[in-house]
Amino acid sequence: MPSTEERPRLGGESGEVVVVGGSAAGLYTAATVASGGRKVRVLESRPDFEPASRSLIVTDQFRTQLGTAASESIVNEIRRFELFTDGRSAQVVLARPDLIIERSRLIPALARSAQRAGAKLSFATRFLGLAPNGRGLRVEVDSAGQREELHADSVVGADGASSRVARSAGWPPVETVPLVQAIVRLPKDHPPDTTRVWFVPDDTPYFYWLIPESSERGALGIIGEEGRDTKKCLSRFLEKRQMEPLEWQGARIPVYRGWVPVRRRIGNGEVYLVGDAAAQVKVSTVGGIVTGLRGALGVGQSILRGGRNKELTALRRELATHWLIRRALHHFQQKDYSQLVDLLNVSTRESLGAINRDESTRLLWNVVCRQPRLVLLGLRGLLMGRSLKD
Ligand SMILES: Cc1cc2nc3c(=O)[nH]c(=O)nc-3n(C[C@H](O)[C@H](O)[C@H](O)COP(=O)(O)OP(=O)(O)OC[C@H]3O[C@@H](n4cnc5c(N)ncnc54)[C@H](O)[C@@H]3O)c2cc1C
């Protein structure tokens, strides 16, 4: 990237949109808004747009969303899921393969798209706070150790789960859960096009996964509820399977528990949230890339056109369905998971393979039409959750 882009003079111009956070959601928002002709500046606290490597699994909707930038980051394709619980297993063959993408390729590709659209990117620039300033918003930043102020009409918080923009503008904090994963050598019996998922309710209300990033390596991970316990469970799981962690990765992931309104008016300015900052994460599987990009597109369009936005309405519906699925599964005991795997008959597995989890309402409808007993199991899960809270 040109060095002039790395250390631009701050200051801010009239009508400028400042995006805080130069990761997936922020850079996609910047590209969308800049393509519509608005001045956009992205502030990123890291020293460059080349983050540490991390493999992520996404549905093929990602390809539709990003086109060329998507192709540059794909490192593997997943054609099959194998689900395990208590000695039982089921297999789901995907009609449209899931994609394994490499974040260290995705972020630079998105940064280039945002720059091509006209956005200016500022590295080593940390957002500190914002306040109304009559014309719009005064944004305070630390730019390579120097305090500076700039002006913006709109600020977009794309600064992740513990968003400082959200806090500065008065949004309540989003709840988070720990995600821990170890990079491991892929076991000899593990095909590189297959993701394995284990339901072990004694360890976690979520699940374990092993996602191959190549024919040699994969990411074995768990989402838990308490950080230290989650790491201990993963260590035990690895030990039982005699797998050596080559590298550890982890962070806190937002838990979607209801729509976070994405826009607030502060004085004469507007503040928006996108991606993890707005908990735009599928809480059934805790995947946030595709949904965060949808949030970014919706907010980008709202900034350009105003009014109600169809993308955000559809995203809200999507996230609500995942929240319903999570509530149904969250208090499942071993016998419920065993029953769930037993109930996945051929036609149910066909639906799971044909419709991806980013079209969850259609998926849920198709699955329950083909196996109505799943509705009873789901309802029991919902009631169990309620009775445990009472
Ligand atoms: C280990 C791990 C595995 C995951 N696996 C998957 C997966 O397989 N599939 C999937 O879909 N999702 C996965 N996720 C979730 C996914 O990575 C996130 O949902 C997604 O990256 C969120 O993107 P974002 O742009 O909203 O926020 P982030 O990626 O968190 O980016 C926030 C950006 O804001 C910057 N920033 C923060 N504060 C400031 C500040 N004050 N000033 C300036 N900049 C700031 C940060 O440096 C960062 O670049 C995983 C997450 C983790 C941690």
Side-chain angles (χ1 to χ4, degrees):
M1 256 164 244
S3 57
T4 48
E5 288 303 306
E6 289 168 19
R7 300 265 82 247
R9 267 187 52 243
L10 299 177
E13 294 175 49
S14 180
E16 190 162 70
V17 177
V18 165
V19 176
V20 180
S23 185
L27 292 168
Y28 195 49
T29 310
T32 307
V33 178
S35 305
R38 292 284 296 271
K39 287 200 173 69
V40 180
R41 179 173 300 282
V42 180
L43 311 179
E44 169 55 50
S45 55
R46 278 184 288 110
D48 55 40
F49 280 85
E50 278 158 34
S53 90
R54 185 188 292 162
S55 314
L56 310 164
I57 185 165
V58 292
T59 64
D60 74 334
Q61 194 163 328
F62 173 78
R63 215 192 285 267
T64 319
Q65 287 176 307
L66 292 191
T68 323
S71 313
E72 289 177 41
S73 58
I74 298 169
V75 292
N76 192 16
E77 293 195 346
I78 298 297
R79 294 170 192 281
R80 195 177 301 108
F81 269 79
E82 289 175 356
L83 312 177
F84 298 93
T85 197
D86 200 28
R88 291 168 161 82
S89 68
Q91 216 182 74
V92 175
V93 177
L94 303 179
R96 288 174 289 158
D98 270 6
L99 310 170
I100 305 297
I101 57 168
E102 176 45 58
R103 191 175 65 145
S104 60
R105 293 193 198 172
L106 172 67
I107 303 304
L110 288 174
R112 284 192 293 276
S113 305
Q115 282 182 312
R116 271 197 301 271
K120 300 274 184 287
L121 314 181
S122 301
F123 315 107
T125 306
R126 179 176 295 281
F127 167 89
L128 298 175
L130 57 79
N133 70 354
R135 285 186 300 142
L137 297 163
R138 179 169 53 82
V139 180
E140 202 184 329
V141 300
D142 177 320
S143 176
Q146 304 252 322
R147 283 211 170 203
E148 294 187 28
E149 276 183 11
L150 54 150
H151 169 81
D153 283 9
S154 305
V155 171
V156 179
D159 49 343
S162 46
S163 168
R164 192 156 182 164
V165 173
R167 257 185 296 143
S168 305
W171 267 277
V174 296
E175 195 184 322
T176 58
V177 287
L179 184 158
V180 187
Q181 61 183 23
I183 302 303
V184 294
R185 263 187 209 94
L186 211 56
K188 288 211 162 53
D189 71 334
H190 194 130
D193 67 350
T194 301
T195 289
R196 289 187 175 154
V197 173
W198 293 264
F199 298 109
V200 187
D202 284 347
D203 289 359
T204 173
Y206 296 87
F207 47 83
Y208 290 94
W209 62 83
L210 176 50
I211 300 170
E213 54 182 41
S214 68
S215 52
E216 279 97 45
R217 282 159 54 112
L220 178 68
I222 177 177
I223 307 154
E225 291 197 298
E226 211 278 303
R228 208 171 293 165
D229 289 351
T230 306
K231 175 105 190 267
K232 267 194 215 150
C233 286
L234 184 59
S235 300
R236 246 193 347 252
F237 194 87
L238 285 163
E239 215 174 282
K240 236 163 103 182
R241 284 162 182 79
Q242 297 176 330
M243 285 193 230
E244 283 285 323
L246 305 174
E247 187 190 309
W248 291 98
Q249 300 173 347
R252 297 199 67 93
I253 307 284
V255 184
Y256 180 87
R257 289 191 182 279
W259 182 247
V260 175
V262 295
R263 177 177 170 273
R264 264 179 189 224
R265 216 172 160 80
I266 307 271
N268 289 325
E270 283 172 329
V271 183
Y272 295 84
L273 296 182
V274 294
D276 276 17
Q280 289 166 347
V281 171
K282 298 189 285 278
V283 69
S284 57
T285 57
V286 201
I289 293 289
V290 168
T291 41
L293 292 175
R294 289 182 72 177
L297 179 65
V299 162
Q301 290 172 343
S302 296
I303 291 172
L304 293 172
R305 299 183 206 142
R308 268 180 90 81
N309 180 269
K310 277 195 199 148
E311 187 65 44
L312 291 174
T313 308
L315 175 62
R316 183 176 184 164
R317 202 176 315 120
E318 180 70 29
L319 294 174
T321 310
H322 288 280
W323 175 220
L324 177 71
I325 297 170
R326 168 77 3 235
R327 275 160 51 219
L329 292 177
H330 209 70
H331 298 284
F332 264 27
Q333 293 161 4
Q334 187 55 68
K335 63 176 178 11
D336 304 304
Y337 276 116
S338 303
Q339 200 184 346
L340 175 72
V341 169
D342 288 346
L343 283 175
L344 293 180
N345 58 23
V346 174
S347 72
T348 320
R349 291 201 305 264
E350 269 168 23
S351 289
L352 284 169
I355 308 168
N356 74 45
R357 55 196 179 283
D358 281 303
E359 306 167 89
S360 63
T361 310
R362 190 158 81 89
L363 177 65
L364 196 61
W365 180 245
N366 264 268
V367 165
V368 299
C369 284
R370 289 173 185 223
Q371 181 48 283
R373 285 167 67 196
L374 283 170
V375 178
L376 293 178
L377 190 63
L379 282 175
R380 207 168 73 213
L382 287 173
L383 290 173
M384 273 191 303
R386 186 164 295 174
S387 67
L388 285 175
K389 276 191 211 109
D390 289 345

